[in-house]
């Protein structure tokens, strides 16, 4: 826990009052060390997930079945890169450099979402990612637009708007396949069978096993628990799957009249933990490709640094620029 110095007692009271009043904490405001560390951890994992998440779908850009589908997919992958930049900028307002965050990603000291360690085996996987993975992301991220930390909340507004397009695009792709040939329908169903359970794992472990959830909710970084968000996602997806003409791979799905929610079967948390440990189908491939891309881009970073050193008058003030980027 953070040790509060006597001179910070008044600042702590102001921080607590700001959180209680549902107002925003800004970069220059005093904040507990644990609050700052929790934000850096969450924002970094989110940013890493965006840039690692470009890989599974980029795998299909050259094989998209039409020019329209290719353009849609290229735009989406580009959006994900932008989301990573917004989030790294938000993390920088907390005093953590982007190079430090990327080094922790590349050395395994920080994580990204386990969902991106699964392979995209068919074109239908692009649709399944859009509908299920981006749909789970929206369910989780819309409440973050009301996060207590201002730069993170403001970054999430634009990210969620773009993610909503991605979810609709994925749904439309699956609908087209589902209503196509028998082989296309089977391809769509196979993709749903493989992506459904990993999508439920995206919300994190059960509440009684989550190390950070309760404190994040107390600080209003998060607004809902992992299990609450997971239930909301299931309730949204069941009727959508019916409209798609596809079946969710859970024989235990039942409408619970008393709870007014859909009951669903047990999640294989052993698989979740194994993927987090690095034993998923694509862990080595994903992080290896990310490291290579970073190494091959070194000359660009060096050139930018040399240009900034040669033309310091044109280099914006780092702190101001970072804060404005996150606004």
């Amino acid at each position: 826990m953070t040790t509060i110095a006597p001179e910070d007692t008044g600042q702590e009271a102001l921080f607590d009052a700001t959180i209680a009043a549902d107002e925003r904490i800004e970069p220059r405001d005093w904040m507990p060390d644990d609050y700052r560390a929790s934000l850096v951890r969450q924002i970094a994992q989110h940013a890493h997930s965006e840039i690692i998440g470009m890989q599974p779908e980029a795998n299909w850009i050259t094989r998209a079945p039409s020019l329209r589908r290719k353009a849609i997919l290229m735009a989406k992958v580009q959006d994900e890169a932008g989301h990573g930049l917004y989030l790294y900028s938000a993390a920088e307002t907390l005093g953590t450099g982007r190079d430090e965050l990327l080094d922790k990603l590349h050395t395994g000291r920080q994580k990204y979402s386990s969902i991106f360690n699964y392979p995209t085996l068919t074109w239908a996987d692009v649709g399944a990612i859009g509908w299920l993975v981006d749909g789970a992301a929206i369910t989780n991220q819309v409440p973050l637009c009301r996060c207590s930390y201002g730069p993170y909340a403001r970054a999430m507004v634009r990210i969620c708007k773009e993610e909503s397009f991605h979810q609709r695009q994925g749904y439309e792709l699956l609908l087209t396949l589902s209503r196509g040939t028998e082989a296309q329908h089977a391809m769509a169903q196979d993709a749903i069978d493989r992506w459904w359970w990993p999508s439920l794992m995206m919300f994190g472990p059960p509440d009684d096993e989550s190390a950070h959830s309760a404190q994040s909710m107390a600080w209003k970084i998060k607004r809902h628990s992992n299990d609450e968000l997971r239930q909301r996602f299931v309730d949204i997806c069941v009727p959508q799957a019916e409209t798609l003409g596809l079946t969710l791979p859970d024989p235990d799905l039942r409408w619970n009249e008393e709870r007014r929610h859909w009951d669903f079967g047990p999640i294989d948390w052993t698989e979740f933990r194994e993927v987090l440990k690095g034993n998923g189908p694509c862990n080595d491939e994903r992080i290896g490709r990310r490291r290579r891309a970073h190494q091959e881009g070194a000359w660009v970073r060096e050139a930018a640094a040399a240009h900034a050193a040669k033309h310091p008058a044109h280099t914006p003030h780092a702190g101001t620029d970072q804060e404005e980027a996150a606004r």
Side-chain angles (χ1 to χ4, degrees):
M1 292 293 294
T2 302
T3 301
I4 306 297
E7 61 269 22
D8 288 336
T9 302
Q11 298 278 34
E12 181 189 14
L14 179 59
F15 172 86
D16 290 341
T18 301
I19 297 294
D22 219 7
E23 297 176 351
R24 296 274 174 79
I25 303 297
E26 297 297 342
R28 292 188 177 91
D29 295 340
W30 183 92
M31 64 188 76
D33 291 342
D34 287 349
Y35 177 81
R36 185 186 302 273
S38 184
L39 279 167
V40 170
R41 176 191 58 78
Q42 181 170 331
I43 296 173
Q45 179 171 327
H46 192 167
H48 299 332
S49 298
E50 295 286 355
I51 61 170
I52 293 289
M54 297 163 63
Q55 293 185 35
E57 293 174 296
N59 183 45
W60 280 92
I61 288 177
T62 59
R63 294 179 287 168
S66 70
L67 183 58
R68 173 176 174 269
R69 294 294 185 188
K70 187 188 296 288
I72 289 172
L73 188 54
M74 289 178 66
K76 181 183 179 183
V77 172
Q78 185 179 33
D79 284 348
E80 305 297 356
H83 297 173
L85 293 178
Y86 306 152
L87 292 164
Y88 284 128
S89 293
E92 286 175 324
T93 68
L94 292 160
T96 302
R98 193 173 308 184
D99 288 345
E100 178 185 351
L101 296 179
L102 289 172
D103 181 63
K104 288 181 177 179
L105 169 65
H106 298 154
T107 56
R109 289 176 291 160
Q110 285 183 341
K111 303 294 186 181
Y112 56 90
S113 178
S114 62
I115 192 75
F116 298 117
N117 289 315
Y118 291 87
T120 45
L121 302 179
T122 71
W123 171 247
D125 286 33
V126 174
I129 290 175
W131 177 44
L132 294 177
V133 177
D134 294 327
I138 293 168
T139 304
N140 188 48
Q141 293 170 14
V142 165
L144 291 175
C145 295
R146 298 186 293 118
C147 171
S148 61
Y149 187 60
Y152 191 23
R154 288 187 286 272
M156 290 313 305
V157 172
R158 179 167 180 176
I159 290 174
C160 287
K161 287 179 179 178
E162 293 178 351
E163 291 287 7
S164 69
F165 277 103
H166 302 167
Q167 192 270 347
R168 293 174 194 176
Q169 289 162 355
Y171 188 86
E172 187 270 337
L173 193 161
L174 286 177
L175 185 64
T176 300
L177 290 175
S178 178
R179 295 180 177 179
T181 66
E182 183 176 340
Q184 288 172 329
H185 186 281
M187 183 193 299
Q189 183 62 62
D190 173 67
I192 298 307
D193 290 346
R194 288 183 287 104
W195 288 94
W196 172 247
W197 292 107
S199 296
L200 294 188
M201 298 176 195
M202 283 182 66
F203 297 96
D207 293 342
D208 57 1
E209 297 180 17
S210 177
H212 306 288
S213 188
Q215 183 59 75
S216 290
M217 290 176 65
W219 279 325
K220 298 183 181 179
I221 297 173
K222 290 178 61 173
R223 295 289 178 155
H224 304 283
S225 74
N226 297 349
D227 288 336
E228 289 174 339
L229 293 169
R230 194 171 3 255
Q231 181 67 70
R232 183 179 299 180
F233 177 66
V234 172
D235 291 345
I236 290 170
C237 286
V238 172
Q240 290 181 345
E242 184 177 353
T243 301
L244 285 171
L246 300 171
T247 303
L248 297 176
D250 183 356
D252 295 327
L253 271 176
R254 300 283 188 281
W255 174 251
N256 188 315
E257 188 63 33
E258 183 178 350
R259 294 197 312 119
R260 304 296 298 173
H261 291 290
W262 285 89
D263 292 335
F264 54 96
I267 297 171
D268 184 358
W269 292 112
T270 300
E271 176 185 336
F272 175 75
R273 288 187 285 270
E274 282 300 307
V275 175
L276 282 184
K277 289 178 184 177
N279 299 323
C282 298
N283 288 66
D284 292 342
E285 176 185 342
R286 299 288 186 246
I287 199 65
R289 184 169 293 171
R290 180 69 196 95
R291 291 192 191 107
R292 287 195 300 275
H294 188 71
Q295 292 166 359
E296 291 169 1
W299 70 272
V300 178
R301 297 190 297 276
E302 292 167 1
H307 182 271
K310 188 174 182 180
H311 304 282
H314 299 291
T315 304
H317 184 273
T320 303
D321 182 55
Q322 292 161 2
E323 290 170 21
E324 287 302 315
R327 290 175 190 273

